[in-house]
Amino acid sequence: MSEAPARVVWRNEFSLGIPAVDHEHREMVALINEIFVRIEADDTETIADDLGEIHARISAHFALEEQIMRREGYDQFDDHKADHEHLLDDIREIMDAYADGSYGDRKDAFAGRLQRWFVDHFKTKDARLHRRLRT
Ligand SMILES: [Fe+2]
Ligand SMILES: [Fe+2]
């Protein structure tokens, strides 16, 4: 059974109200959706490069968010940072699994994992940070 993976649809609640962070969130959503298109099309040649780019961009993005949290004295800094580290490990694992072919004919699982990875962090950790910064 093979269904097209659900795309990550941008929602206003993803906005933190900090232009630099929101811009990067939008860029990451665009990048992840590009990967989904390539997965669906079995255009596997560029996926490894795209994952490398996501990893690099997300590392920079997390650094920016952590800088803001530190500056604002955010109460759940440690917890949020730990989730960032966990997510970076997870994307590394996805890259490794991709490289050694273990996602070969499990592309739905692969796409689903990427999607959860993005949406869950946005909806939980980043959303809380967003509410905190606005109050
Ligand atoms: Fe975050
Ligand atoms: Fe974020």
Side-chain angles (χ1 to χ4, degrees):
M1 191 204 85
S2 178
E3 263 174 44
R7 301 290 165 77
V8 180
V9 178
W10 180 263
R11 289 197 297 261
N12 281 339
E13 69 231 51
F14 291 159
S15 293
L16 292 195
I18 300 166
V21 174
D22 293 338
H23 176 72
E24 289 184 5
H25 278 172
R26 283 179 187 272
E27 273 185 351
M28 286 187 288
V29 166
L31 200 57
I32 196 84
N33 285 333
E34 270 172 42
I35 289 194
F36 287 159
V37 170
R38 298 208 169 108
I39 290 172
E40 280 169 48
D42 277 324
D43 180 6
T44 51
E45 263 170 42
T46 61
I47 292 175
D49 287 347
D50 291 338
L51 286 171
E53 195 183 334
I54 277 199
H55 189 273
R57 280 210 217 170
I58 206 135
S59 299
H61 170 70
F62 286 171
L64 172 68
E65 236 175 54
E66 286 161 17
Q67 195 183 48
I68 290 165
M69 288 192 282
R70 233 182 248 122
R71 193 185 65 207
E72 302 291 325
Y74 185 55
D75 63 338
Q76 290 194 357
F77 175 81
D78 291 342
D79 178 65
H80 197 130
K81 189 177 191 320
D83 204 44
H84 282 171
E85 277 157 19
H86 177 76
L87 293 178
L88 286 174
D89 286 347
D90 209 29
I91 203 157
R92 264 279 154 219
E93 222 178 88
I94 292 174
M95 288 165 81
D96 291 346
Y98 196 80
D100 73 19
S102 54
Y103 268 110
D105 36 46
R106 295 178 57 224
K107 62 181 185 175
D108 293 343
F110 178 52
R113 193 165 166 192
L114 278 176
Q115 205 225 15
R116 273 194 305 281
W117 189 82
F118 270 77
V119 173
D120 289 353
H121 183 79
F122 278 7
K123 276 207 302 215
T124 58
K125 309 291 178 190
D126 285 356
R128 186 185 186 276
L129 175 62
H130 155 76
R131 287 194 302 272
R132 250 330 131 96
L133 292 180
R134 295 224 158 163
T135 53

